[in-house]
Every structure is written in C-alpha cells, then in structure tokens.
Amino acid sequence: MTIEIKRGLATVASFNAGEDTVFVQKLMGEHKITTTLEVAEVLDIQIGDYIEYFGEVYTINNAPEVTRMGNRILEYNIEFEGEIYRLYKKILLDEGDADFGYFGTPEDYLLLLLENINAIDPGWTLGTVTQGIEPKATSFNNVSCREALTRIAELFELEYKVIGQQISMVPKVGDDILDDNDKISCPV
C-alpha cells in the first residue's frame, strides 16, 4: 500500500507501507501510525504534514527522528497522530477561567469542550452521547481539552470515541477483545 505524505493538497513524499508501518489504537488513548523509512535522500517533510488512512487524517506533530545509517542512507522515524491529539492544543476554559468548577451532564461537559476546541480548530462536533445521566460536579485546573475529555468520561463512568472531529460518549464503545492495558497494534 502506497501512502502519500501531504502538505495542504500537495504530495511532498510517499512510501510503501510495510512491516515498519504500524497502526496503534488504544481505547481512550493512543491513536497513531508510526513508520520507519530508509532513504538515500533528505525527505521534505515537516510538522503539520499529514497522511490519510481509512478516511482519517494523521498529522506529524513532532519532528521526525533522523539517523544517518551510512554514507548514503538516512533512517526516518515518523509518528502520525490522529485528530484527537489536536485537543492537546487548547486549555479548557469556562468564562475565561482555566481554574473552575463545573456541574452538568455528559452532554453539558462535551458542549463546553467543543466550544473551547472550536475556538481554535473549527469543525469539531458532538456524536452520540448517552442521555438520562444525572448531572455531576467536578473541577478543572489548567487542563487541555484532551485531558478534560478523559476526566469527563471517568466522572460519568463512560467511554469516548473520536472519529475525525466527532466526539461520542457512551457506556461502552465496542466489544471487549483485549485487556484494559492492551492496545490494537498492527501493520498498515
């Protein structure tokens, strides 16, 4: 499978996904693709470049590690992160404060989170959210929207799933096939 690395609409590099290209996904955790490429020339890739895999966008958020393997070979270790990592870029605020208490249902909390992330990264939406759960109170102190998402799920004993820019929160996202500490990790 050939994967194109893009910047905007332009393709800046491409590679054949092999054993060194791995998709990793953990419930309410990691969601990324890593690859190791050995090439004879410097690649024109940078933070913000991205790939698409099964309809989802995975972005380079950290500079790739580059190692010279010999006179003519460079090894690139590249990590492409799913869109959920964009939630780390915004601190959760309520009425301008990063240190606040909040009371509401899962949907109330998620609407606050969406208001925050959409202020800097438009397009985030609410998916399926379990209704009929009693409101609860908690406090936040200088946490990212990504950290807040996990705290909200834990507060209500729910699980969340992010597909693209849509956030859903329900009692159970899928079927148990792995232990809580396991993750799905497979070649692309």
Side-chain angles (χ1 to χ4, degrees):
M1 164 190 279
T2 300
I3 297 179
E4 295 180 335
I5 302 173
K6 297 184 175 190
R7 184 174 307 138
L9 297 177
T11 299
V12 295
S14 63
F15 63 94
N16 290 320
E19 291 179 13
D20 290 336
T21 303
V22 179
F23 171 77
V24 178
Q25 184 173 16
K26 184 175 179 182
L27 177 65
M28 300 193 321
E30 291 177 282
H31 192 152
K32 61 187 172 182
I33 296 173
T34 59
T35 192
T36 301
L37 305 175
E38 289 188 1
V39 296
E41 58 192 40
V42 174
L43 294 177
D44 177 27
I45 55 176
Q46 60 190 16
I47 292 173
D49 291 349
Y50 66 94
I51 62 174
E52 294 180 25
Y53 181 67
F54 284 104
E56 289 194 57
V57 174
Y58 296 82
T59 304
I60 299 173
N61 292 321
N62 299 298
E65 294 179 19
V66 183
T67 306
R68 184 167 294 282
M69 302 301 289
N71 288 341
R72 298 177 187 226
I73 302 295
L74 296 170
E75 181 180 85
Y76 283 79
N77 290 304
I78 309 169
E79 187 172 87
F80 300 93
E81 296 175 332
E83 295 194 74
I84 190 169
Y85 288 83
R86 292 160 57 182
L87 297 176
Y88 281 112
K89 295 180 180 182
K90 176 72 170 91
I91 298 296
L92 185 69
L93 304 173
D94 185 33
E95 298 180 4
D97 292 326
D99 185 4
F100 64 94
Y102 198 79
F103 180 79
T105 65
E107 185 172 351
D108 295 331
Y109 280 93
L110 290 176
L111 289 172
L112 175 66
L113 188 145
L114 289 173
E115 178 183 319
N116 274 264
I117 193 62
N118 279 317
I120 66 161
D121 187 17
W124 288 87
T125 61
L126 194 60
T128 302
V129 180
T130 299
Q131 301 297 314
I133 295 179
E134 291 295 316
K136 293 185 179 182
T138 194
S139 59
F140 298 96
N141 184 4
N142 205 34
V143 298
S144 70
C145 287
R146 173 64 180 81
E147 293 165 309
L149 181 59
T150 299
R151 292 207 25 222
I152 296 163
E154 290 171 350
L155 176 67
F156 290 100
E157 298 178 2
L158 298 172
E159 296 177 356
Y160 65 81
K161 185 172 187 175
V162 177
I163 298 177
Q165 288 182 284
Q166 184 179 70
I167 302 172
S168 294
M169 191 171 285
V170 295
K172 194 167 197 67
V173 168
D175 296 325
D176 288 333
I177 58 171
L178 303 170
D179 293 353
D180 288 340
N181 295 323
D182 290 338
K183 58 187 170 190
I184 296 171
S185 179
C186 58
V188 171

